[in-house]
Amino acid sequence: MRKSLFKWHSYGALIAMLPILIMSITGSILVFKVEIDSLLRPNHMLVEALPETPRISLDTLMQTTLSENPEYELGGWELYDDKSRSDAAYLIKRGTDDWHKVYVNQYSGQLLSQPYPMDHFITDWLLELHYSFLLHVKGASVAFVAALVMLFLGISGMILYRRFWAKLFTLRLGAVKRILYSDIHKMVGIISSPVLIILAFTGAYWNISGIIHEVTEHGDGEHVYITKPLYRADISFEALHQQATNEISSFKAGYLAMPHEPDRDITFYGEVDSNNPLNSEYSSIVSFDKTTGVLLSKQDIREAGLLTVFLDSFRKLHFGYFGGLITRIIWCVLGLMPVMLAFTGLYLYWQRRQSKVQSKQKRQQMVNAI
């Protein structure tokens, strides 16, 4: 059994090596996406406001954004009130499924950018590469399979080298390269496997969720493209924002999902005060009818079921920000370990192949000599 597991561990690594390396490198970079964007594009990402400065009405911000971009409709809105980070409006070009992003100063009402495609900037391009290899649903399917292989590699590696814990940090530096690389491969694999398993499992879940959504919603080839607002004109989103805040104790909205498809309503996603460090900033939900503005449903993560809480934790677990800067650095470093594992694993595989070839040649020479 161990020999078969080792063989499949090796084959799985060889087959999925390239997509896993792409996801590993891009993922480690994206752990610090906000910081990178703020450094490269401070005029878009950052605003300056005094602590007592209030946000401008959401209705005013939306009206300004749409009036300056008349060929678009709103698909979503990121809300911030930390006096330093700008809001982001997500726009859909009428008659298409092309999404764009516009940065907005929520304290002055000024638009900080023109509409940019979702993969226009380097970190956004890396995010698309990380999630779908720039191939949309087909790429997401490849990423899903690669994540499953990565999950198998992490689990099988821990099984194969479970006894390595006794000498976890022992490297035979004076040994031949094959033995040294074997020690490095085992040590790096055992140390990084818990985090890599988390990354693989959560990533695979998001990929398959996105694939299922696309297949069920648009699998028949039909797609309803937005050509006009799908909500009643006199609905006040600022009023709904305030109502959402009152519906759930300590609720703070972070994202507004607009009804950009006929079967969708107005939904605010946000965070609440909680003792669970894995509750995400979008863990609680308040939804309103798009034609009447009447409350449809609300979900307080503190009162949600175990499965809902578990699935919501994937966001912080995948990006590693549940423990602040320290866990993000750990996730960034350990997320890069497949690069080291691929290098050492390839070398060991090549050495085994060479050894088999030499053994076969020696046997053939002995047969010929007889």
Side-chain angles (χ1 to χ4, degrees), residues 30-73:
L30 291 170
V31 168
F32 294 101
K33 183 181 187 303
V34 173
E35 287 79 6
I36 294 172
D37 285 339
S38 298
L39 179 65
L40 297 179
R41 301 183 287 112
N43 293 337
H44 293 163
M45 295 290 296
L46 303 179
V47 296
E48 294 183 2
L50 296 174
E52 63 274 13
T53 305
R55 286 179 55 91
I56 289 179
S57 166
L58 197 52
D59 297 319
T60 301
L61 294 173
M62 289 180 168
Q63 183 178 3
T64 300
T65 302
L66 290 175
S67 63
E68 295 194 24
N69 299 281
E71 68 274 29
Y72 294 90
E73 292 295 339

Side-chain angles (χ1 to χ4, degrees), residues 125-343:
W125 183 85
L126 287 174
L127 182 61
E128 291 293 320
L129 180 63
H130 177 78
Y131 175 73
S132 65
F133 304 114
L134 309 178
L135 297 173
H136 306 293
V137 177
K138 292 181 180 178
S141 301
V142 174
F144 170 67
V145 174
L148 290 182
V149 173
M150 184 174 168
L151 181 63
F152 167 74
L153 294 176
I155 295 173
S156 61
M158 294 187 73
I159 295 173
L160 288 169
Y161 305 122
R162 60 189 181 277
R163 296 179 182 175
F164 192 72
W165 284 105
K167 299 180 179 180
L168 181 58
F169 297 104
T170 301
L171 295 177
R172 289 168 282 185
L173 299 175
V176 296
K177 189 179 293 186
R178 178 180 60 81
I179 295 176
L180 175 61
Y181 279 19
S182 178
D183 286 351
I184 293 174
H185 191 84
K186 294 173 185 177
M187 182 184 73
V188 170
I190 289 294
I191 292 174
S192 61
S193 281
V195 171
L196 295 181
I197 288 172
I198 291 173
L199 296 177
F201 184 81
T202 54
Y205 170 79
W206 282 337
N207 278 112
I208 194 62
S209 297
I211 294 168
I212 291 173
H213 171 77
E214 286 298 320
V215 171
T216 54
E217 294 292 327
H218 313 299
D220 56 2
E222 294 185 3
H223 195 296
V224 179
Y225 298 114
I226 190 169
T227 57
K228 61 180 181 179
L230 299 180
Y231 51 89
R232 203 176 70 196
D234 61 347
I235 283 182
S236 170
F237 288 93
E238 181 62 30
L240 295 184
H241 182 199
Q242 294 300 322
Q243 183 179 346
T245 302
N246 296 328
E247 289 292 340
I248 299 177
S249 173
S250 73
F251 180 79
K252 182 179 179 181
Y255 185 76
L256 164 60
M258 302 289 288
H260 61 274
E261 292 182 353
D263 60 343
R264 300 203 177 198
D265 283 287
I266 301 166
T267 304
F268 288 89
Y269 296 84
E271 62 183 346
V272 293
D273 296 336
S274 170
N275 294 324
N276 186 348
L278 295 181
N279 287 161
S280 79
E281 62 271 37
Y282 306 122
S283 59
S284 295
I285 306 169
V286 184
S287 294
F288 300 93
D289 187 275
K290 61 178 175 289
T291 56
T292 64
V294 173
L295 176 70
L296 293 176
S297 63
K298 56 183 177 179
Q299 172 188 286
D300 187 337
I301 194 64
R302 295 165 297 193
E303 301 173 359
L306 183 60
L307 179 60
T308 300
V309 175
F310 176 65
L311 295 177
D312 174 68
S313 70
F314 285 11
R315 179 176 296 275
K316 285 192 173 182
L317 285 173
H318 192 81
F319 295 102
Y321 60 97
F322 56 89
L325 181 60
I326 293 177
T327 53
R328 292 170 70 201
I329 292 174
I330 292 173
W331 254 236
C332 176
V333 173
L334 295 186
L336 280 173
M337 289 302 102
V339 176
M340 178 67 74
L341 293 170
F343 176 76

Side-chain angles (χ1 to χ4, degrees), residues 61-74 77 89-94 100-104 110-116:
L61 294 173
M62 289 180 168
Q63 183 178 3
T64 300
T65 302
L66 290 175
S67 63
E68 295 194 24
N69 299 281
E71 68 274 29
Y72 294 90
E73 292 295 339
L74 279 167
W77 195 286
Y90 292 87
L91 303 177
I92 309 171
K93 197 164 188 177
R94 289 201 188 100
H100 294 70
K101 183 188 286 190
V102 172
Y103 296 91
V104 183
Q110 177 188 4
L111 267 61
L112 303 177
S113 74
Q114 64 185 48
Y116 289 108

